[in-house]
Amino acid sequence: MRAPDEVVGGRTALVTGAGNGLGRAIALALAGHGARVVLVGRIPGPLRETAAAIGPAARVATCDVSDPASVDALAAGLADERISILINNAGIAGPVADLTDVRPDEWDEVFAVNVRGTYLVCRAFLPPMLQRGTGDVVNIASVSGKRPLPGRTPYTASKMAVLGLTTTLAHEVGPLGVMVNSVSPGPVAGPRMERNFTREAERTGTTPAQAEAEFVSRAALRRMVTEEEVAAATVAVLCVPGLCGADIDLSAGMVAR
């Protein structure tokens, strides 16, 4: 395994959903190892906050990853950047409801961001990597795509789709020098999970604390992982020679059985 500064330093990484949460943590970790980071998201304010935390090595670019025209415009606007690391992190949680209560527009919105967004960004930014014969793509999936999570069918189905995209794309572009892998976090401590616990409590007639306790009881470590742990795992994936088409569980032991 090579040292992160050696692998990441001097390269340019594009991180989607970089304004907060995992995207922000991953961007900070990459910059900490010497990468120039292009921060992509829909809302400029949070992106600028992340950029301020990084400093001169950051560039902000707004984009709706679910919109082909927006992604094409992003790629055109970044034509001067030699992007060799692509982190597809943008995603939404979607509704908390039984499948029969999920509206088609809610289902479509989850897949538009989580799956279509990953496809569109790969489609736009892979060609220069393939021309150079080198590059890395890391898709942020979820352990929820590999085990039952009642009430979250759109999200779990979308993350399973990301895993399928990852393994197939790895076999398409691996022979051309581009490595494609995924990281599947389990529950990540922070505001997003707190909102999910609140929704789950409302759905089941319990309390958020009870919903959280039930959720983390499925993990071997009986806890959630942190954003910083996921960011470190994402960097580590880039540092392992020969890793291609792999999915890394980072879930405190909450894996599929």
Side-chain angles (χ1 to χ4, degrees):
M1 182 169 173
R2 299 166 62 194
D5 288 3
E6 177 187 350
V7 173
V8 174
R11 298 172 67 184
T12 298
L14 185 151
V15 182
T16 66
N20 49 53
L22 291 181
R24 176 184 168 89
I26 293 168
L28 289 171
L30 290 167
H33 290 294
R36 172 172 170 76
V37 186
V38 179
L39 310 168
V40 175
R42 289 185 291 185
I43 304 173
L47 295 173
R48 287 196 289 265
E49 292 175 4
T50 303
I54 292 174
R59 176 175 177 176
V60 169
T62 57
C63 176
D64 178 355
V65 298
S66 68
D67 178 12
S70 184
V71 175
D72 287 345
L74 175 69
L78 296 175
D80 60 325
E81 297 281 1
R82 186 184 173 93
I83 294 168
S84 64
I85 300 172
L86 180 60
I87 310 294
N88 285 302
N89 165 76
I92 60 173
V96 177
D98 292 336
L99 176 66
T100 53
D101 294 324
V102 175
R103 301 192 311 269
D105 64 297
E106 293 176 317
W107 180 279
D108 290 345
E109 182 183 21
V110 173
F111 269 75
V113 177
N114 296 2
V115 185
R116 183 177 182 173
T118 300
Y119 146 68
L120 288 174
V121 174
C122 285
R123 179 174 178 268
F125 288 94
L126 271 174
M129 295 187 196
L130 297 175
Q131 290 174 2
R132 294 191 296 265
T134 184
D136 289 277
V137 178
V138 181
N139 298 322
I140 304 302
S142 172
V143 71
S144 295
K146 297 182 285 185
R147 57 149 179 81
L149 184 58
R152 300 294 302 286
T153 305
Y155 181 76
T156 58
S158 73
K159 290 302 184 179
M160 177 59 82
V162 170
L163 292 171
L165 185 157
T166 298
T167 54
T168 301
L169 184 60
H171 281 262
E172 288 182 359
V173 302
L176 301 175
V178 177
M179 306 296 104
V180 183
N181 296 286
S182 59
V183 174
S184 285
V188 180
R192 179 171 174 175
M193 286 304 303
E194 291 170 5
R195 290 193 296 271
N196 288 342
F197 294 140
T198 298
R199 293 171 183 168
E200 180 66 13
E202 292 171 350
R203 189 181 76 87
T204 58
T206 59
T207 68
Q210 288 172 320
E212 178 178 345
E214 167 62 21
F215 196 74
V216 301
S217 71
R218 306 166 194 168
L221 299 184
R222 302 297 191 269
R223 70 170 177 88
M224 293 180 279
V225 297
T226 67
E227 293 174 351
E228 291 74 21
E229 287 173 328
V230 177
T234 303
V235 173
V237 165
L238 301 171
C239 299
V240 181
L243 197 66
C244 188
D247 178 67
I248 306 301
D249 278 299
L250 187 76
S251 60
M254 188 178 288
V255 295
R257 291 286 184 254

